[in-house]
């Protein structure tokens, strides 16, 4: 949340947290949190 509050985009923060670039085309933020790997 700190990154979002600092003005960074959700996609950029999700890429940083998950290591997945362009995550919106690969399940999105919700998919990253709900899919078991």
């Amino acid at each position: 949340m700190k990154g979002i509050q600092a003005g960074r985009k959700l996609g950029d923060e999700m890429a940083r947290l998950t290591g997945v670039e362009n995550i919106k085309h690969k399940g999105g933020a919700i998919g990253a949190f709900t899919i078991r790997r």
Side-chain angles (χ1 to χ4, degrees), residues 11-24:
D12 295 338
E13 286 299 293
M14 289 302 300
R16 184 181 67 77
L17 291 169
T18 64
V20 177
E21 293 295 325
N22 205 8
I23 198 166
K24 66 182 177 182

Side-chain angles (χ1 to χ4, degrees), residues 3-14:
I4 301 301
Q5 291 171 338
R8 291 190 287 274
K9 294 181 181 179
L10 176 60
D12 295 338
E13 286 299 293
M14 289 302 300

